[in-house]
Amino acid sequence: MKKHIVLLPGDGIGKEVINSAKDVLHAIAEEYNHSFSFETHEIGGAAIDLYGTPLPEATVGACKQADAVLLGAVGGPKWDRNPSHLRPERGLLGIRKALDLFANLRPIKGFKNLLHASPLKEEVVAGSDLLIVRELTGGLYFGTPSERRDNGNAVVDTLAYTRKEIERIVDKGFQAAQQRRGQLTSVDKANVLESSKLWREVVEEKKAQYPDVKVDHLLVDAAAMKLITSPTQFDVIVTENLFGDILSDEASVLTGSLGMLPSASLREDGLGLYEPVHGSAPDIAGKGIANPVAMILSTALMLRYSFNLDDEAKVIEDAVQSILDAGFHTGDLQVQDGRIVGTVEMTKLIVDYIKSQNASKCIASCYF
Ligand code: IPM
Ligand code: MN
């Protein structure tokens, strides 16, 4: 298979972990006879420094032409005092909108043997395996431009959704539930927000189309509590943009580190942008200690969702699991024993595993 991939390293550790994705893809291409070509573009703070905008036209143009996009992370203290239109995050929001990537899938699954790395009790996190389906191109993030009024002493942010926008993400939630354990939890704040009332109406209307899915509604405050008191009760959560943002960071504590969580942001036709859930971690940037697992698992999601390469995605996921099982991990994981390695070494261990897996398959099929 021949695919063209745009790499957007962004800022901070994004620049480090994107190299891990590339190394893994080189190994997959070599072992499974694919041809992946790459093109790198600027986004976020790096783009502000070079071009005076967080999202240059060239970046958008290249992403539109690509078969898939991999993104590291954006942001950092250097740009914190910039006006809103010149903040790195604007680049990320802009590319999500420009490509119409409305469906953000964030799978959260505790890794075997790493349960004790979570600050939660092992018996609480054991067996948790959920998917957050987050609406990504609407809501408070994209309301009519936020305003300062009354000489800066009052502010307005707008939460707007159309029925269509809600319907398409709710459909994604139902479909994901059908492919998993058939349970959908819709999270809203329907006791207060008008947008949530419409959200709930849409979910209720859609139920009939998916009779094999069991649906329940949960208010976001209750959902936040349940997520860490009884996470195993969830299969698929579907929710609006800001709630999904908050709940997915919260859910990361189930896995012991935000450094483990991948995400896929998809358009209706399958074009996707894949990025770790974590941010640019400016405090550890440039030190070579960032956890590359979230980026590498995002790469696996790209192979699965955008290219339909399920075996290749699986081998990457197995590689991560087996290297963690062997006791190797980066310093962000509070693991009792094992060996702490840096970004490059962790990546190499995963790459070597991928190569060894394929070699053993070849020995089996070539000689027996
Ligand atoms: C995320 C991030 C972004 C978001 C920021 C960096 C704008 O937190 O992808 O979860 O809020 O969507
Ligand atoms: Mn977030």
Side-chain angles (χ1 to χ4, degrees), residues 28-341:
I28 293 286
E30 208 172 288
E31 299 297 323
Y32 294 81
N33 278 322
H34 299 301
S35 156
F36 299 135
S37 53
F38 300 97
E39 187 181 337
T40 303
H41 284 271
E42 252 64 60
I43 193 165
I48 295 172
D49 289 351
L50 273 173
Y51 308 108
T53 164
L55 186 61
E57 292 275 311
T59 300
V60 179
C63 291
K64 284 188 171 164
Q65 299 296 315
D67 293 310
V69 182
L70 287 175
L71 186 143
V74 298
K78 183 173 176 194
W79 307 281
D80 272 356
R81 288 167 175 278
N82 284 14
S84 340
H85 69 286
L86 286 180
R87 286 193 59 111
E89 292 78 6
R90 275 294 149 134
L92 182 55
L93 301 186
I95 196 71
R96 288 172 178 170
K97 194 75 174 175
L99 300 178
D100 199 18
L101 305 168
F102 71 96
N104 184 222
L105 310 185
R106 298 186 159 182
I108 296 121
K109 194 171 171 179
F111 283 89
K112 275 193 289 169
N113 305 338
L114 278 188
L115 297 181
H116 62 281
S118 170
L120 301 173
K121 291 191 188 118
E122 257 187 80
E123 64 265 32
V124 171
V125 285
S128 52
D129 176 3
L130 57 108
L131 174 72
I132 295 182
V133 178
R134 168 187 175 196
E135 201 291 325
L136 203 60
T137 50
L140 274 169
Y141 282 68
F142 296 97
T144 42
S146 305
E147 256 189 70
R148 286 257 174 174
R149 293 180 183 167
D150 190 19
N151 287 329
N153 294 312
V155 286
V156 186
D157 286 307
T158 329
L159 203 180
Y161 269 115
T162 63
R163 175 178 283 274
K164 256 210 157 85
E165 284 176 314
I166 300 174
E167 282 173 351
R168 63 180 185 172
I169 191 69
V170 165
D171 274 322
K172 286 280 175 253
F174 273 105
Q175 287 153 10
Q178 280 181 321
Q179 281 159 24
R180 291 173 49 102
R181 301 190 301 276
Q183 195 207 316
L184 181 67
T185 305
S186 169
V187 172
D188 62 35
K189 188 72 185 171
N191 53 347
V192 177
L193 300 175
E194 203 52 43
S195 55
S196 284
K197 287 181 198 148
L198 179 58
W199 183 281
R200 210 174 262 223
E201 263 169 55
V202 169
V203 174
E204 282 299 305
E205 282 166 25
K206 290 258 167 212
K207 260 177 164 171
Q209 283 176 45
Y210 304 93
D212 47 340
V213 175
K214 199 177 146 286
V215 187
D216 59 345
H217 301 276
L218 209 53
L219 297 173
V220 63
D221 46 355
M225 184 183 71
K226 232 174 146 185
L227 200 50
I228 49 169
T229 51
S230 41
T232 52
Q233 293 189 17
F234 292 103
D235 178 13
V236 177
I237 291 175
V238 65
T239 192
E240 65 91 49
N241 205 345
L242 185 64
F243 296 161
D245 178 48
I246 297 168
L247 292 181
S248 55
D249 266 36
E250 188 194 3
S252 78
V253 302
L254 303 171
T255 62
S257 171
L258 194 51
M260 313 292 283
L261 291 192
S263 89
S265 306
L266 305 174
R267 189 165 74 188
E268 200 64 78
D269 65 1
L271 174 77
L273 178 149
Y274 300 83
E275 57 171 320
V277 172
H278 65 69
S280 62
D283 52 325
I284 59 161
K287 295 187 178 161
I289 59 172
N291 187 348
V293 166
M295 185 78 242
I296 290 173
L297 292 177
S298 300
T299 309
L301 292 184
M302 174 186 82
L303 296 176
R304 177 172 295 127
Y305 293 140
S306 282
F307 304 161
N308 245 322
L309 296 175
D310 207 53
D311 289 350
E312 288 84 340
K314 190 88 190 29
V315 81
I316 295 175
E317 289 159 354
D318 289 350
V320 169
Q321 177 73 66
S322 101
I323 297 308
L324 291 169
D325 283 351
F328 296 99
H329 61 90
T330 43
D332 49 306
L333 281 167
Q334 306 293 312
V335 183
Q336 281 138 12
D337 35 40
R339 219 186 108 204
I340 295 186
V341 293

